[in-house]
Every structure is written in C-alpha cells, then in structure tokens.
Amino acid sequence: MRRALELAANGPATGPNPRVGCVILAASGEVLAEGWHRGAGTMHAEVDALSRLPGGGARGATAVVTLEPCNHTGRTGPCALALIEAGIARVVYAVSDPGHESSGGAGRLRAHGIDVLGGLLEAEVSDFLADWLAAARLGRPFVTLKWASSLDGRAAAADGTSRWITGPEARQDVHRRRSAADAIIVGTGTALADDPSLTARDAAGALLPGQPMPVVIGRRSIPSDAALRSHPRPPLFLPGHNLRAVLADLHGRGIRHAFIEGGPRLASAFVAAGLVDEYLVYLAPTLLGGGNLALGEIGVTGIDGQRRLTIEHYDRLGDDLLVVARPR
C-alpha cells in the first residue's frame, strides 16, 4: 500500500480527480504491474495497472489501491467493473470513496465474489487525499484561508501598505501552496487596491508549472489593464455575494481546492459562514498598530461564541512563523 501511495504522488496535485496509485500482486506476492492516475480524462490507476499486464495476467491476482475503486461512468468507465472483467480475485484499498456518484465500488466487487478489504493505511492515505476527500464529502471545494500579519494581528500599516510584512521564506512558501491549489480567490476590493497578479512564482520570479485559476468575487468592475488579466489562466469574475453559491459554482468547474488571499472583508465573510477548512497564518515579528486588522467581524459577540481551532502544526520560515490550523 505504501508503494501504491508513492505511485499516487506522481499524479497532478490539482484538478477534479484524486491522486490514486495501484499495485497488482500475484498470489506469490510478486509485483505484476503498477499504475497511477495522470489526470482528468486519462486511465484511472487500476486500469492503468491492468493495461500493463499480459492478457489474462490479472486472473487470481490482488489489486492494492489507495482509494476504493470507483463505481461510475464519467470520461472513463467504472474501475470496479474493469477489475471484475480482468479476473482480479482480491482488492485491498485504504480509503472509502465518499463521492455521491463514484462510491459503491467495494459493494459491486463483493457482489461478484471478489474478496475485498478496506482500511489498510487509512489514516496515512486520508491525510494524502485530505483536500479531495473533503471536497467529495461537502460538494464544494476545500477552502484554505491565508493571511500574513504582524504579531499584533495587522495585515497592513495605517497608510494601507503591506509589502512586505513577512520575509522571503514565508512568501515563497505561499507561492508553493498557491501552485498546489486549483483556484485563488480575492475580493474586488483587494483586486482594485493591491492590483495582485495572483500567480504562483519561484524565488526568481518565474512562473511555477502549476497555476491556480484567479477568481474575483464582487460587483465592482476590474480595469482591463489589471495585473490579474495577464494571468496564464483566464480570470473568473463572480458578481454574487452568496459564498455557498460561489463555491458550488467553482465545484461544478472542477475546482477542488480554493485558496483565499483576501482581503479582510472577504476572509471574514468566509469565516463567519463557516466555510473555511484550513487556516494558514504567517506571523512576522513586527508590530504595526492601527486598524488594518487581518480579520474583521466574524459573528462572535461573546466568549462563548469563539471559534476554536486545532493547531495542526507550525513552522519557522526565516524570521517568521507559520501556523496551520483547522476548525474543531
């Protein structure tokens, strides 16, 4: 299973499909074939592995796969059916598929007399697939909210300037995380005030291979010469303020991980609506004072209503501190 997980990591980190790996074993334990999913529209991991076997080579074999074989027809056919037709005798998977359309593969396999075992290395693989699993369960993208602030919680100085609060190591970490997201979201206020490019770049300023779709939420128009209009991917402008509807729209476009960059009003609205799954807080060892808070009103009026978080981990990035937290 760990080898299948290694294979899964070869797949694209973004897009509507999960990264899945598969290893096919002979009854003796010998590895017969390996496969992984290379992106939307390509063979799924199980079918990729089966394609590398000689005719009839799967009969009596065991398929070890990181995610329960799918049970639906999309751009490709059901993996459960492919395994049945190939003559696989046993299937071992790590994580059950929570998708409304794609789940049920294990039951289909069992109904055809195949021995099925689920839950092997479930925690490890669930962590690897965390974003995709959350999106599949919720029917919306996994939402990461990021902000950078001074130790006293300010996102900008009194005059509105914010470049740069954090150091180069923290900024590069942000770009790396942007590159692993499907979309990057800002409000029109941030788009107009900061004129961000919303790209993911390396330390030298060159574009990284993975670029998130730029998304702007709000009703104000964005100038034709705005930096984000030169983004490698065409920007998406969503005028509505119904955040659940916005996320549903993005999910329908194949967005499974959305990265919110701000500003404070948009960030606060997502928090108040209970739509944030992960917080990335970059803290710089500096004080700014003033009223430009990183987060504004989130609907908490008393201490009993505080939104408690669990700190997943924290890192030193140069002089700065990154805190990664999730709602309890």
Side-chain angles (χ1 to χ4, degrees):
M1 185 63 78
R2 284 204 170 89
R3 175 56 183 163
L5 185 55
E6 290 176 1
L7 294 167
N10 292 322
T14 59
N17 296 106
R19 291 188 287 173
V20 180
C22 177
V23 177
I24 297 179
L25 303 173
S28 63
E30 175 192 359
V31 174
L32 298 176
E34 298 179 336
W36 68 88
H37 184 50
R38 290 166 173 79
T42 67
M43 290 186 291
H44 287 194
E46 300 94 320
V47 178
D48 184 43
L50 289 171
S51 72
R52 300 173 190 278
L53 289 169
R59 300 221 167 264
T62 295
V64 180
V65 61
T66 51
L67 183 67
E68 176 188 3
C70 69
N71 191 38
H72 82 300
T73 300
R75 296 189 192 181
T76 59
C79 292
L81 180 59
L83 293 169
I84 292 166
E85 292 179 343
I88 287 287
R90 189 173 188 234
V91 174
V92 179
Y93 66 88
V95 179
S96 297
D97 188 335
H100 296 297
E101 296 180 349
S102 55
S103 62
R108 187 173 189 173
L109 292 166
R110 290 190 180 100
H112 283 79
I114 295 175
D115 183 23
V116 179
L117 172 66
L120 182 63
L121 294 187
E122 182 176 10
E124 198 169 323
V125 177
S126 292
D127 185 60
F128 175 78
L129 288 173
D131 298 354
W132 183 87
L133 288 171
R137 293 184 184 112
L138 297 170
R140 63 163 176 79
F142 180 90
V143 174
T144 293
L145 171 59
K146 165 262 172 182
W147 71 75
S149 73
S150 59
L151 285 183
D152 57 347
R154 270 61 180 182
D159 64 357
T161 55
S162 60
R163 297 182 180 178
W164 297 102
I165 293 175
T166 55
E169 295 90 345
R171 296 198 298 274
Q172 195 53 48
D173 187 74
V174 171
H175 282 279
R176 179 181 63 81
R177 292 175 184 272
R178 281 184 183 181
S179 180
D182 294 301
I184 180 168
I185 303 175
V186 297
T188 52
T190 294
L192 292 169
D194 296 345
D195 193 27
S197 64
L198 302 184
T199 52
R201 303 179 298 277
D202 65 19
L207 294 175
L208 292 171
Q211 291 294 324
M213 175 192 290
V215 179
V216 181
I217 299 177
R219 300 191 184 280
R220 286 181 284 179
S221 61
I222 305 301
S224 59
D225 61 349
L228 63 85
R229 290 191 182 273
S230 298
H231 195 283
R233 300 182 65 180
L236 177 64
F237 299 95
L238 297 176
H241 287 92
N242 183 328
L243 298 183
R244 294 186 185 277
V246 165
L247 291 179
D249 182 303
L250 294 178
H251 191 269
R253 297 172 189 268
I255 301 299
R256 296 296 179 265
H257 184 186
F259 196 90
I260 301 174
E261 283 270 357
R265 287 182 63 186
L266 184 67
S268 301
F270 268 96
V271 175
L275 294 173
V276 178
D277 303 299
E278 177 183 60
Y279 293 84
L280 302 178
V281 182
Y282 296 85
L283 294 171
T286 187
L287 303 173
L288 291 174
N292 289 321
L293 295 170
L295 200 64
E297 177 57 51
I298 59 171
V300 175
T301 57
I303 197 66
D304 290 341
Q306 64 183 299
R307 295 175 181 261
R308 301 289 298 181
L309 307 177
T310 296
I311 294 179
E312 296 288 320
H313 66 270
Y314 52 87
D315 295 315
R316 272 295 287 271
L317 300 171
D319 292 331
D320 305 314
L321 179 67
L322 166 63
V323 177
V324 180
R326 295 193 176 186
R328 288 190 181 178

